Amino acid sequence: MREDLYSILEISDREIAKSFAKKLKVKIGTLDYFNDNCIYPDADLIKKILDERPNLSEIEIKIRLGHIDNEVLTLLQNNVKNIAEYGIPTQANPFQRQLPEPNFATPLGRLFNADCIQTMRNMDDNTVDLIFADPPFNLDKKYESGMNDKISKTEYLNWTEEWVSECVRILKPGGALFIWNLPQWNTYTAEILNRYLNLRHWIVADMKYSLPIANRLYPAHYSLLYYIKGDQPNRFNKEGLPLEICRHCGGDIKDYGGYKNKLNTEGMSLTDVWKDISPVRHKKYKNRASNELPLNLLERIISLSTNEGDLVFDPFGGSGTTFVVSEILNRRWIGTEIGPIDLIQERFEDLSFPTFLINDIQNSKNALFTEDMKKIRRKNNHWLPENL
Ligand SMILES: C[S@@+](CC[C@H](N)C(=O)[O-])C[C@H]1O[C@@H](n2cnc3c(N)ncnc32)[C@H](O)[C@@H]1O
């Protein structure tokens, strides 16, 4: 487990932090920066720290911060026999993993109103075909569960490692793991996952998620990590996208010159930049106040990486988008949500509207033009594959 710099230095409150900063002749803000961001102090600061705390060493600080660079690694490797004697305890008799009765069930799914880590501990190794996770972003959002969404970076990263490790364990060989988060968090999550799984894509979902900030680039994408267990995915059902056309006249936006008849009639290849994912804002489509992902995102992920009958798991159910899409697409599913689950249950009372929307999404893909696009193009005399 990573520790905070302040806990390593035994700084337990603000006054002690301030007087320590004074002794070091550095600003308290400088110490806070390294502490809050889990960053290893620069050479000048580490020297000052070690002068004040002679009982500590650079190596100890690095290891306790979780900063395993080549120097630490070499030291561990050189002493591996001694360290191995302490070992990581293995369970003599691994306990029987068994899921309890769900709090809500459908013909294909089971939902647990519980902590995802506890639930995953009751799930067998190598059993899930697809895991989709949209964890809280630690942005101080108000969740119905009343959970604390503003914990220290160290706590958030330790917690992330815990749930991600369980996801890795329950994922089938060849199964897919998708994690939706802010890029800043997914850099750390990727570091954990790179130890166990195989990165297939870092997907960018082109979507503005906060207001412009002075002296920064305008944050305009979410990161969607796509990993698989092992070399080859069990499933990869390609998706073709319609061409982008002018919204008003239906005409081409790009010039395809003499290549029009070479374009794949099953649509343009999906890239790792997804521009067609929009936040759920309209009341008609929204099932809860915040943090609801759109149906088309889950439809794409589930269709791409599973077949009918496969098992999907989502640890952070929220409004239940993953479960609704799984059910409609005939996938078995397991989910957890620590907060209230009544909204999820209500969504299942009538699936006709989401089923209509999912059908619409599916009818609009794997073709160069949708039926609506064809209509406007015909009307305005733009080319169509059939009359080239
Ligand atoms: C970002 S939201 C997920 C939204 C969801 N993808 C949707 O489309 O509605 C994260 C959810 O995770 C839940 N959550 C947080 N910690 C959890 C935990 N340890 N176990 C299970 N659920 C948790 C929160 O209550 C919140 O509803």
Short mmCIF file of all heavy atoms in Angstrom, two decimals, residues 112 114-117 132-137 143-147 159 180 288 290-294 298 314-322 336-340 347, ligand 1:
data_model
loop_
_atom_site.label_atom_id
_atom_site.label_comp_id
_atom_site.label_asym_id
_atom_site.label_seq_id
_atom_site.Cartn_x
_atom_site.Cartn_y
_atom_site.Cartn_z
N PHE A 112 -26.22 -6.68 -6.86
CA PHE A 112 -25.93 -6.70 -5.43
C PHE A 112 -25.80 -5.27 -4.92
O PHE A 112 -25.02 -4.49 -5.49
CB PHE A 112 -24.63 -7.48 -5.16
CG PHE A 112 -24.76 -8.91 -5.59
CD1 PHE A 112 -24.41 -9.30 -6.88
CD2 PHE A 112 -25.28 -9.86 -4.72
CE1 PHE A 112 -24.57 -10.62 -7.29
CE2 PHE A 112 -25.45 -11.18 -5.12
CZ PHE A 112 -25.09 -11.56 -6.41
N ALA A 114 -24.16 -3.63 -2.77
CA ALA A 114 -23.01 -3.94 -1.91
C ALA A 114 -21.75 -3.29 -2.44
O ALA A 114 -21.73 -2.76 -3.56
CB ALA A 114 -22.82 -5.46 -1.89
N ASP A 115 -20.72 -3.39 -1.63
CA ASP A 115 -19.41 -2.91 -2.04
C ASP A 115 -18.85 -3.86 -3.11
O ASP A 115 -18.89 -5.08 -2.95
CB ASP A 115 -18.50 -2.91 -0.81
CG ASP A 115 -17.10 -2.47 -1.16
OD1 ASP A 115 -16.29 -3.34 -1.56
OD2 ASP A 115 -16.83 -1.28 -1.07
N CYS A 116 -18.31 -3.27 -4.18
CA CYS A 116 -17.89 -4.13 -5.30
C CYS A 116 -16.74 -5.06 -4.91
O CYS A 116 -16.67 -6.19 -5.39
CB CYS A 116 -17.53 -3.29 -6.51
SG CYS A 116 -16.16 -2.16 -6.24
N ILE A 117 -15.85 -4.60 -4.04
CA ILE A 117 -14.69 -5.46 -3.71
C ILE A 117 -15.18 -6.69 -2.93
O ILE A 117 -14.77 -7.81 -3.22
CB ILE A 117 -13.63 -4.66 -2.92
CG1 ILE A 117 -13.11 -3.51 -3.77
CG2 ILE A 117 -12.47 -5.57 -2.48
CD1 ILE A 117 -12.16 -2.56 -3.09
N PHE A 132 -16.91 -3.83 -17.38
CA PHE A 132 -16.91 -2.39 -17.67
C PHE A 132 -16.97 -1.67 -16.33
O PHE A 132 -17.83 -1.98 -15.50
CB PHE A 132 -18.12 -1.98 -18.52
CG PHE A 132 -18.21 -0.49 -18.64
CD1 PHE A 132 -17.38 0.19 -19.52
CD2 PHE A 132 -19.05 0.25 -17.81
CE1 PHE A 132 -17.41 1.59 -19.58
CE2 PHE A 132 -19.08 1.64 -17.87
CZ PHE A 132 -18.26 2.31 -18.77
N ALA A 133 -16.05 -0.73 -16.10
CA ALA A 133 -16.03 -0.01 -14.81
C ALA A 133 -15.96 1.49 -15.03
O ALA A 133 -15.10 1.97 -15.77
CB ALA A 133 -14.85 -0.48 -13.97
N ASP A 134 -16.86 2.18 -14.37
CA ASP A 134 -16.91 3.65 -14.41
C ASP A 134 -16.88 4.10 -12.95
O ASP A 134 -17.93 4.39 -12.37
CB ASP A 134 -18.21 4.06 -15.13
CG ASP A 134 -18.57 5.52 -15.00
OD1 ASP A 134 -17.68 6.34 -14.73
OD2 ASP A 134 -19.77 5.85 -15.17
N PRO A 135 -15.70 4.12 -12.34
CA PRO A 135 -15.63 4.40 -10.90
C PRO A 135 -15.87 5.88 -10.61
O PRO A 135 -15.81 6.70 -11.53
CB PRO A 135 -14.18 4.04 -10.55
CG PRO A 135 -13.43 4.27 -11.82
CD PRO A 135 -14.37 3.93 -12.95
N PRO A 136 -16.12 6.23 -9.35
CA PRO A 136 -16.18 7.65 -9.00
C PRO A 136 -14.83 8.29 -9.31
O PRO A 136 -13.80 7.63 -9.18
CB PRO A 136 -16.44 7.63 -7.49
CG PRO A 136 -16.79 6.24 -7.13
CD PRO A 136 -16.27 5.34 -8.19
N PHE A 137 -14.84 9.56 -9.71
CA PHE A 137 -13.59 10.20 -10.15
C PHE A 137 -12.87 10.95 -9.02
O PHE A 137 -11.92 11.68 -9.27
CB PHE A 137 -13.88 11.21 -11.27
CG PHE A 137 -14.51 10.61 -12.50
CD1 PHE A 137 -15.24 11.42 -13.37
CD2 PHE A 137 -14.38 9.26 -12.80
CE1 PHE A 137 -15.82 10.89 -14.51
CE2 PHE A 137 -14.96 8.71 -13.94
CZ PHE A 137 -15.69 9.54 -14.80
N TYR A 143 -22.90 11.74 -4.30
CA TYR A 143 -23.54 10.50 -4.73
C TYR A 143 -24.69 10.17 -3.79
O TYR A 143 -24.62 10.48 -2.60
CB TYR A 143 -22.53 9.34 -4.73
CG TYR A 143 -21.60 9.38 -5.91
CD1 TYR A 143 -20.32 9.90 -5.79
CD2 TYR A 143 -22.01 8.91 -7.15
CE1 TYR A 143 -19.46 9.95 -6.87
CE2 TYR A 143 -21.16 8.96 -8.24
CZ TYR A 143 -19.89 9.48 -8.10
OH TYR A 143 -19.05 9.53 -9.18
N GLU A 144 -25.70 9.50 -4.35
CA GLU A 144 -26.86 9.11 -3.54
C GLU A 144 -26.42 8.25 -2.35
O GLU A 144 -27.03 8.25 -1.30
CB GLU A 144 -27.87 8.30 -4.39
CG GLU A 144 -28.68 9.14 -5.36
CD GLU A 144 -27.93 9.42 -6.67
OE1 GLU A 144 -26.73 9.13 -6.76
OE2 GLU A 144 -28.58 9.96 -7.60
N SER A 145 -25.32 7.50 -2.51
CA SER A 145 -24.85 6.62 -1.43
C SER A 145 -24.26 7.44 -0.28
O SER A 145 -24.00 6.89 0.79
CB SER A 145 -23.78 5.68 -1.96
OG SER A 145 -22.70 6.44 -2.47
N GLY A 146 -23.99 8.73 -0.51
CA GLY A 146 -23.36 9.56 0.53
C GLY A 146 -21.88 9.26 0.68
O GLY A 146 -21.23 9.71 1.61
N MET A 147 -21.31 8.47 -0.26
CA MET A 147 -19.89 8.11 -0.16
C MET A 147 -19.01 9.36 -0.27
O MET A 147 -19.40 10.36 -0.86
CB MET A 147 -19.52 7.12 -1.25
CG MET A 147 -19.82 7.66 -2.64
SD MET A 147 -19.02 6.76 -3.94
CE MET A 147 -17.35 7.25 -3.73
N TRP A 159 -7.16 2.26 -3.21
CA TRP A 159 -8.48 1.66 -3.44
C TRP A 159 -8.59 1.18 -4.89
O TRP A 159 -9.07 0.08 -5.17
CB TRP A 159 -9.55 2.70 -3.11
CG TRP A 159 -10.95 2.27 -3.43
CD1 TRP A 159 -11.68 1.33 -2.78
CD2 TRP A 159 -11.78 2.76 -4.50
NE1 TRP A 159 -12.92 1.21 -3.37
CE2 TRP A 159 -13.00 2.07 -4.42
CE3 TRP A 159 -11.61 3.72 -5.49
CZ2 TRP A 159 -14.05 2.31 -5.32
CZ3 TRP A 159 -12.64 3.96 -6.38
CH2 TRP A 159 -13.85 3.26 -6.28
N TRP A 180 -13.45 3.41 -17.62
CA TRP A 180 -13.77 4.79 -18.02
C TRP A 180 -13.38 5.72 -16.88
O TRP A 180 -13.82 5.52 -15.75
CB TRP A 180 -15.28 4.84 -18.25
CG TRP A 180 -15.91 6.17 -18.54
CD1 TRP A 180 -16.40 7.06 -17.64
CD2 TRP A 180 -16.14 6.74 -19.84
NE1 TRP A 180 -16.94 8.15 -18.29
CE2 TRP A 180 -16.78 7.97 -19.64
CE3 TRP A 180 -15.87 6.31 -21.14
CZ2 TRP A 180 -17.16 8.80 -20.70
CZ3 TRP A 180 -16.25 7.14 -22.19
CH2 TRP A 180 -16.89 8.36 -21.98
N ARG A 288 -31.09 9.45 -13.72
CA ARG A 288 -30.73 9.98 -12.41
C ARG A 288 -30.01 11.31 -12.59
O ARG A 288 -29.61 11.65 -13.71
CB ARG A 288 -29.92 8.99 -11.59
CG ARG A 288 -28.49 8.78 -12.05
CD ARG A 288 -27.81 7.86 -11.07
NE ARG A 288 -26.37 7.95 -11.14
CZ ARG A 288 -25.59 7.37 -10.25
NH1 ARG A 288 -26.08 6.74 -9.22
NH2 ARG A 288 -24.28 7.46 -10.37
N SER A 290 -27.04 12.56 -11.94
CA SER A 290 -25.70 12.75 -12.48
C SER A 290 -25.06 11.41 -12.84
O SER A 290 -25.58 10.34 -12.51
CB SER A 290 -24.83 13.44 -11.43
OG SER A 290 -24.79 12.63 -10.29
N ASN A 291 -23.89 11.49 -13.48
CA ASN A 291 -23.05 10.32 -13.74
C ASN A 291 -23.74 9.19 -14.47
O ASN A 291 -23.52 8.02 -14.13
CB ASN A 291 -22.50 9.71 -12.43
CG ASN A 291 -21.85 10.73 -11.58
OD1 ASN A 291 -22.37 11.04 -10.53
ND2 ASN A 291 -20.74 11.25 -12.01
N GLU A 292 -24.56 9.50 -15.41
CA GLU A 292 -25.18 8.41 -16.16
C GLU A 292 -24.54 8.36 -17.55
O GLU A 292 -24.55 9.35 -18.26
CB GLU A 292 -26.69 8.64 -16.27
CG GLU A 292 -27.37 7.55 -17.05
CD GLU A 292 -28.88 7.76 -17.10
OE1 GLU A 292 -29.44 8.43 -16.22
OE2 GLU A 292 -29.48 7.26 -18.07
N LEU A 293 -24.02 7.22 -17.90
CA LEU A 293 -23.39 7.12 -19.22
C LEU A 293 -24.45 6.79 -20.27
O LEU A 293 -25.46 6.15 -19.98
CB LEU A 293 -22.32 6.03 -19.20
CG LEU A 293 -21.08 6.39 -18.36
CD1 LEU A 293 -20.12 5.22 -18.31
CD2 LEU A 293 -20.38 7.62 -18.91
N PRO A 294 -24.20 7.23 -21.51
CA PRO A 294 -25.21 7.02 -22.55
C PRO A 294 -25.27 5.57 -23.03
O PRO A 294 -24.28 4.84 -22.98
CB PRO A 294 -24.75 7.94 -23.68
CG PRO A 294 -23.30 8.16 -23.45
CD PRO A 294 -23.05 8.01 -21.98
N LEU A 298 -22.32 1.97 -24.00
CA LEU A 298 -22.37 0.58 -23.51
C LEU A 298 -22.75 -0.38 -24.63
O LEU A 298 -22.25 -1.50 -24.68
CB LEU A 298 -23.33 0.47 -22.32
CG LEU A 298 -22.70 0.73 -20.95
CD1 LEU A 298 -21.47 -0.16 -20.74
CD2 LEU A 298 -22.25 2.16 -20.75
N ASP A 314 -20.26 -5.23 -14.02
CA ASP A 314 -19.99 -3.80 -13.80
C ASP A 314 -19.99 -3.55 -12.30
O ASP A 314 -21.03 -3.69 -11.64
CB ASP A 314 -21.06 -2.94 -14.49
CG ASP A 314 -20.78 -1.44 -14.35
OD1 ASP A 314 -20.03 -1.05 -13.42
OD2 ASP A 314 -21.31 -0.65 -15.16
N PRO A 315 -18.82 -3.17 -11.73
CA PRO A 315 -18.74 -2.97 -10.28
C PRO A 315 -19.42 -1.70 -9.80
O PRO A 315 -19.77 -1.60 -8.63
CB PRO A 315 -17.22 -2.89 -10.01
CG PRO A 315 -16.56 -2.65 -11.32
CD PRO A 315 -17.52 -3.03 -12.41
N PHE A 316 -19.57 -0.70 -10.68
CA PHE A 316 -20.09 0.61 -10.25
C PHE A 316 -21.38 0.91 -11.02
O PHE A 316 -21.38 1.70 -11.97
CB PHE A 316 -19.03 1.70 -10.49
CG PHE A 316 -17.72 1.39 -9.85
CD1 PHE A 316 -16.62 0.96 -10.59
CD2 PHE A 316 -17.57 1.50 -8.47
CE1 PHE A 316 -15.42 0.66 -9.99
CE2 PHE A 316 -16.36 1.20 -7.85
CZ PHE A 316 -15.29 0.77 -8.61
N GLY A 317 -22.45 0.28 -10.56
CA GLY A 317 -23.70 0.26 -11.33
C GLY A 317 -24.30 1.61 -11.63
O GLY A 317 -24.83 1.83 -12.71
N GLY A 318 -24.27 2.56 -10.68
CA GLY A 318 -24.87 3.88 -10.88
C GLY A 318 -26.34 3.75 -11.23
O GLY A 318 -27.13 3.19 -10.48
N SER A 319 -26.69 4.25 -12.41
CA SER A 319 -28.10 4.21 -12.82
C SER A 319 -28.43 2.89 -13.53
O SER A 319 -29.57 2.68 -13.95
CB SER A 319 -28.39 5.36 -13.77
OG SER A 319 -27.66 5.16 -14.96
N GLY A 320 -27.42 2.04 -13.73
CA GLY A 320 -27.68 0.70 -14.28
C GLY A 320 -27.60 0.61 -15.79
O GLY A 320 -28.09 -0.36 -16.38
N THR A 321 -26.95 1.57 -16.44
CA THR A 321 -26.89 1.55 -17.91
C THR A 321 -26.31 0.23 -18.44
O THR A 321 -26.86 -0.38 -19.37
CB THR A 321 -26.03 2.74 -18.43
OG1 THR A 321 -26.47 3.91 -17.75
CG2 THR A 321 -26.15 2.92 -19.92
N THR A 322 -25.22 -0.23 -17.82
CA THR A 322 -24.59 -1.47 -18.30
C THR A 322 -25.56 -2.65 -18.20
O THR A 322 -25.60 -3.51 -19.08
CB THR A 322 -23.34 -1.78 -17.44
OG1 THR A 322 -22.52 -0.63 -17.41
CG2 THR A 322 -22.56 -2.96 -17.97
N THR A 336 -22.82 -4.50 -9.17
CA THR A 336 -22.89 -4.03 -7.78
C THR A 336 -23.09 -2.52 -7.79
O THR A 336 -22.67 -1.83 -8.71
CB THR A 336 -21.60 -4.36 -6.98
OG1 THR A 336 -20.49 -3.78 -7.66
CG2 THR A 336 -21.38 -5.84 -6.84
N GLU A 337 -23.75 -2.05 -6.76
CA GLU A 337 -23.91 -0.61 -6.54
C GLU A 337 -24.04 -0.43 -5.03
O GLU A 337 -24.89 -1.04 -4.41
CB GLU A 337 -25.12 -0.05 -7.30
CG GLU A 337 -25.54 1.36 -6.92
CD GLU A 337 -24.42 2.41 -6.99
OE1 GLU A 337 -23.74 2.53 -8.01
OE2 GLU A 337 -24.24 3.13 -5.97
N ILE A 338 -23.18 0.45 -4.50
CA ILE A 338 -23.16 0.63 -3.05
C ILE A 338 -24.28 1.56 -2.58
O ILE A 338 -24.75 1.45 -1.45
CB ILE A 338 -21.76 1.15 -2.61
CG1 ILE A 338 -21.46 0.75 -1.18
CG2 ILE A 338 -21.61 2.63 -2.81
CD1 ILE A 338 -20.01 0.89 -0.80
N GLY A 339 -24.72 2.45 -3.47
CA GLY A 339 -25.81 3.39 -3.12
C GLY A 339 -27.17 2.76 -3.38
O GLY A 339 -27.26 1.57 -3.70
N PRO A 340 -28.23 3.58 -3.30
CA PRO A 340 -29.57 3.04 -3.55
C PRO A 340 -29.69 2.41 -4.94
O PRO A 340 -29.10 2.92 -5.89
CB PRO A 340 -30.47 4.27 -3.45
CG PRO A 340 -29.65 5.36 -2.87
CD PRO A 340 -28.21 5.01 -3.03
N ARG A 347 -35.79 1.14 -13.76
CA ARG A 347 -35.46 1.13 -15.20
C ARG A 347 -35.87 -0.19 -15.83
O ARG A 347 -36.21 -0.25 -17.01
CB ARG A 347 -33.96 1.32 -15.41
CG ARG A 347 -33.56 2.76 -15.53
CD ARG A 347 -32.08 2.87 -15.77
NE ARG A 347 -31.75 3.13 -17.17
CZ ARG A 347 -30.54 3.48 -17.60
NH1 ARG A 347 -29.56 3.60 -16.76
NH2 ARG A 347 -30.32 3.71 -18.87
C1 LIG B 1 -19.65 7.23 -11.93
S1 LIG B 1 -20.96 6.36 -11.18
C2 LIG B 1 -21.37 5.10 -12.34
C3 LIG B 1 -22.42 5.52 -13.32
C4 LIG B 1 -22.86 4.41 -14.25
N1 LIG B 1 -21.81 4.04 -15.18
C5 LIG B 1 -24.10 4.82 -15.06
O1 LIG B 1 -24.03 4.86 -16.30
O2 LIG B 1 -25.09 5.11 -14.46
C6 LIG B 1 -20.14 5.49 -9.93
C7 LIG B 1 -21.06 4.69 -9.02
O3 LIG B 1 -20.27 3.81 -8.23
C8 LIG B 1 -20.88 3.67 -6.96
N2 LIG B 1 -19.84 3.18 -6.03
C9 LIG B 1 -18.86 3.88 -5.45
N3 LIG B 1 -18.07 3.07 -4.70
C10 LIG B 1 -18.56 1.83 -4.83
C11 LIG B 1 -18.19 0.57 -4.32
N4 LIG B 1 -17.13 0.43 -3.52
N5 LIG B 1 -18.92 -0.51 -4.66
C12 LIG B 1 -20.00 -0.40 -5.47
N6 LIG B 1 -20.41 0.79 -5.99
C13 LIG B 1 -19.70 1.88 -5.68
C14 LIG B 1 -21.39 5.08 -6.65
O4 LIG B 1 -22.43 5.04 -5.69
C15 LIG B 1 -21.87 5.53 -8.04
O5 LIG B 1 -23.24 5.28 -8.23
#
